[in-house]
Amino acid sequence: MPDSGKPSVLIIGGGIAGLAAGCYAQMSGLDSRILEKHVLPGGCCTAWSREGYIFDYCIEWLIGTAPGNEANQIWRELGALDGKEITNFEVFNRVVGEDGREVRFYHDPDRLERHLLALSPGDARLIKSFCRDLRRFLDLEVFPFLKPPPLKTLPEKLAVLREVLPSLLLFWRNSARRMADFSAKFEDPLLRRGFPNVFFQDHEQFPLLPYLYNIACAHHGNAGIPEGGSLGLARSIEDRYTGLGGEISYRARVRRILVEDGRAVGVELKNGTRHHADHVISACDGYTTIYRLLGGEYTTPELDKLYGELLHKPEAVYPGMMSVFVGVDVELPPDTPHSTTYLLSAQESAQLPRVMQDSLVVQLRSRYWPGCAPPGKSLFHCTYFSDFGYWRELRTRNRREYWAQKRKAADFVRAFLAERHPEIGGRIDVVDVATPTTNHRYTGNHNGSILGWIGFTEADDLATRLVNRQRMRLPGLAGFSMAGQWIGGGGLIKAASSGRFAIQFLCEELGIPFRAWESPDDQPWRPEMLGHLPQLDVRPMQLTEEA
């Protein structure tokens, strides 16, 4: 890096955490450079294109789209929402059972309660309990993202306590009760299976707390979808970063972190070139960082448990995701549900390669933001949790069979959509399939995991201690810190917040003030701002005659 006289920072990974760290480094008077292995910013927050369709991979809802909260302040500081319209829906998600009955999870608690009672009067006690607590969450904003706990002053900690104490019982009750245990008590089989799928898939370890919090956010318009979608969010932050003087290098795969006398001093890339800096931040895969880039030399018993034991437990780490995009040459009616989780029969599940939860999520992405489908056309994004190991082994052992299984998933989804939307029959333009190995190839995330550690688990607790006790550092290694979902938790706002935290800790260490201000850019967002959109695979899915 050029010698400007300012402290210099190298950031490994241009996902949301790395981009955020870069922006806050620049605002705080540091010189930074981001090294990204892919050709696009954003990591998993990305998109690609084929035949005029934009396959938006990530954002299903974004916490912080409404003003007046800390999450929104971070997005404003990063320029992520500059000039963008926000789309909000009155229904968080719809769940349809095997028999065709459906439940709609409205974010308005009164409407939700009426709807659920009409479906199952016999479950009135549970329904009213859930909606009563949801009403209480509408008045709460106690999930801070702006400053890590170790840096908070005593008055700031007391302010948080004053806000939390009146609702302490509410938080305790809903964080101690797992959704699986709550939903199992419903008499109605649709509600019993439907409630765990409010967040599209079943987040099996979650308590009630995140469901109530996110539905409440949606009620306030604080869980919307920004114009431009996933890659649009990443591009806006990239533009903010470069506008602040930051530099980002693509196709820059880091081979190892350079260490001298117990201090990180730079990195060596795969092509052999070396880059030096005063501080290195790794915002990429956690296991890769600790055991490959650093050779496993800087660990603790907690880290070894986290990455040696819990990383291999399904209940601790989010699985990979199968994505099937289907573009159709018809504009579906405006009242078409934007998101539906279909509960599959055993016969249907047997036709989907390595489906894990006997369900398929169907989202009409062309309702999320204009421009992801050409005029007069529509785009579906269909997803299900799937086993990374199966797809990795298949792709390694038999590439032909790997493609055959991708086609099998594509064929099932095409037929499934045509049965429920007869108007699309024979009018399918394009189908694109991404497996968990696709995610791993382009982002490096362990086993193609979409969100890293599952929240409210032992793994999540251990990762939180790395922030609160270790200050995102590794023992015995100076000049180095970590950021991203493997340390700050899954979700885009947590990733962005972790980048902010990393720079706040660094500024304290350097004895310089941490600075942040909102982006002044109010230029309306335009589709051209997405830039060049590559194809992830040159070989597209072949459309059969039935399509």
Side-chain angles (χ1 to χ4, degrees):
M1 296 183 67
D3 185 10
S4 65
K6 302 177 181 178
S8 57
V9 183
L10 277 173
I11 300 167
I12 305 170
I16 298 302
L19 290 169
C23 287
Y24 289 115
Q26 293 300 126
M27 283 189 270
S28 297
L30 310 177
D31 269 346
S32 69
R33 182 179 183 181
I34 296 174
L35 303 170
E36 168 56 42
K37 61 178 285 190
H38 193 19
V39 298
L40 294 174
C44 290
C45 188
T46 192
W48 59 99
S49 178
R50 183 166 286 134
E51 298 184 25
Y53 293 92
I54 298 172
F55 303 136
D56 193 323
Y57 184 69
C58 179
I59 297 178
E60 297 173 312
W61 78 92
L62 182 70
I63 296 299
T65 53
N69 57 82
E70 294 193 2
N72 182 260
Q73 181 176 331
I74 287 178
W75 295 133
R76 294 294 175 186
E77 290 169 353
L78 298 177
L81 306 179
D82 285 354
K84 296 178 180 178
E85 299 291 332
I86 304 296
T87 299
N88 291 287
F89 300 106
E90 63 181 9
V91 175
F92 202 97
N93 189 32
R94 181 178 74 134
V95 179
V96 176
E98 297 172 37
D99 58 0
R101 294 177 66 224
E102 68 174 63
V103 54
R104 297 180 179 235
F105 290 98
Y106 297 97
H107 56 64
D108 178 85
D110 296 333
R111 191 172 183 184
L112 176 62
E113 184 173 304
R114 291 194 299 269
H115 173 63
L116 295 177
L117 288 173
L119 283 174
S120 181
D123 286 311
R125 183 182 62 83
L126 287 174
I127 291 168
K128 290 181 178 180
S129 170
F130 184 85
C131 293
R132 180 174 60 249
D133 281 355
L134 177 57
R135 291 186 186 94
R136 293 169 178 168
F137 266 84
L138 296 183
D139 298 325
L140 299 176
E141 175 55 51
V142 289
F143 290 81
F145 298 105
L146 291 178
K147 184 182 285 190
L151 294 185
K152 288 189 173 181
T153 63
L154 181 58
E156 288 171 333
K157 292 177 179 178
L158 291 175
V160 172
L161 274 176
R162 283 195 298 271
E163 198 168 358
V164 169
L165 281 176
S167 305
L168 191 60
L169 181 60
L170 177 69
F171 277 94
W172 177 83
R173 183 175 66 248
N174 287 292
S175 61
R177 194 175 191 184
R178 291 174 66 236
M179 171 58 86
D181 299 328
F182 174 77
S183 61
K185 296 183 178 181
F186 281 101
E187 295 177 6
D188 188 288
L190 177 61
L191 298 189
R192 194 159 54 242
R193 290 190 66 190
F195 260 82
N197 287 282
V198 171
F199 292 166
F200 315 119
Q201 278 91 11
D202 183 354
H203 299 249
E204 296 168 346
Q205 308 301 317
F206 272 16
L208 288 176
L209 180 66
Y211 293 90
L212 295 165
Y213 170 70
N214 282 277
I215 296 174
C217 285
H219 182 74
H220 293 304
N222 199 38
I225 298 94
E227 193 176 7
S230 305
L231 184 57
L233 188 89
R235 285 292 195 197
S236 291
I237 303 175
E238 176 196 41
D239 185 64
R240 171 71 162 153
Y241 174 62
T242 57
L244 289 165
E247 180 182 353
I248 184 165
S249 299
Y250 292 106
R251 299 186 186 276
R253 184 189 293 265
V254 174
R255 175 189 291 164
R256 66 189 179 105
I257 295 170
L258 303 175
V259 178
E260 296 179 2
D261 298 324
R263 184 176 190 85
V265 296
V267 302
E268 179 180 285
L269 302 186
K270 186 179 179 181
N271 63 12
T273 60
R274 293 187 171 192
H275 302 272
H276 293 83
D278 299 313
H279 195 88
V280 177
I281 297 175
S282 180
C284 65
D285 180 69
Y287 182 90
T288 299
T289 297
I290 296 170
Y291 296 100
R292 294 181 185 170
L293 302 185
L294 287 167
E297 295 186 18
Y298 304 94
T299 66
T300 64
E302 283 187 340
L303 281 170
D304 287 334
K305 180 176 184 179
L306 192 60
Y307 287 102
E309 177 186 336
L310 297 178
L311 188 67
H312 306 292
K313 290 188 175 182
E315 65 271 20
V317 182
Y318 275 100
M321 182 79 74
M322 279 291 290
S323 285
V324 182
F325 291 94
V326 180
V328 298
D329 185 18
V330 59
E331 188 169 359
L332 291 170
D335 60 346
T336 305
H338 76 284
S339 178
T340 303
T341 299
Y342 289 95
L343 305 177
L344 303 178
S345 66
Q347 182 180 7
E348 289 172 323
S349 291
Q351 301 175 59
L352 267 181
R354 278 299 193 272
V355 63
M356 295 178 67
Q357 293 188 344
D358 296 332
S359 64
L360 178 69
V361 180
V362 175
Q363 296 178 335
L364 185 55
R365 282 285 175 164
S366 44
R367 284 199 63 199
Y368 281 53
W369 56 276
C372 63
K377 303 190 177 190
S378 302
L379 177 65
F380 289 97
H381 184 202
C382 305
T383 59
Y384 63 89
F385 283 150
S386 192
D387 175 27
F388 171 81
Y390 166 80
W391 292 102
R392 177 181 59 182
E393 190 275 336
L394 194 60
R395 189 176 188 274
T396 302
R397 174 179 54 83
N398 189 335
R399 192 70 61 88
R400 185 183 296 273
E401 180 61 20
Y402 173 77
W403 275 92
Q405 290 301 304
K406 289 181 68 172
R407 283 193 297 272
K408 184 178 179 181
D411 290 342
F412 175 88
V413 168
R414 283 203 298 259
F416 192 88
L417 292 176
E419 182 179 349
R420 286 150 186 81
H421 302 279
E423 63 269 39
I424 74 173
R427 303 185 71 175
I428 294 177
D429 284 340
V430 62
V431 178
D432 202 274
V433 180
T435 73
T437 63
T438 310
N439 182 314
H440 180 261
R441 286 163 54 209
Y442 288 95
T443 69
N445 271 343
H446 176 79
N447 285 3
S449 176
I450 55 167
L451 286 168
W453 306 115
I454 296 177
F456 306 95
T457 63
E458 183 182 6
D460 184 46
D461 291 340
L462 285 175
T464 300
R465 291 180 200 171
L466 294 176
V467 177
N468 293 343
R469 295 184 184 178
Q470 304 298 327
R471 298 192 170 204
M472 307 168 83
R473 307 297 175 88
L474 297 180
L477 182 61
F480 176 81
S481 55
M482 295 175 66
Q485 65 181 17
W486 293 102
I487 187 169
L492 293 177
I493 185 55
K494 287 187 176 181
S497 181
S498 76
R500 197 179 201 272
F501 287 1
I503 299 302
Q504 286 174 305
F505 283 132
L506 178 57
C507 286
E508 185 203 38
E509 176 186 316
L510 296 175
I512 63 176
F514 172 82
R515 295 189 177 93
W517 60 87
E518 291 190 7
S519 167
D521 189 358
D522 58 359
Q523 182 182 7
W525 186 86
R526 305 183 312 279
E528 308 88 75
M529 293 178 176
L530 289 177
H532 173 65
L533 288 165
Q535 297 182 6
L536 289 194
D537 288 298
V538 176
R539 181 181 178 184
M541 290 285 105
Q542 297 297 316
L543 298 181
T544 62
E545 291 181 3
E546 290 80 7

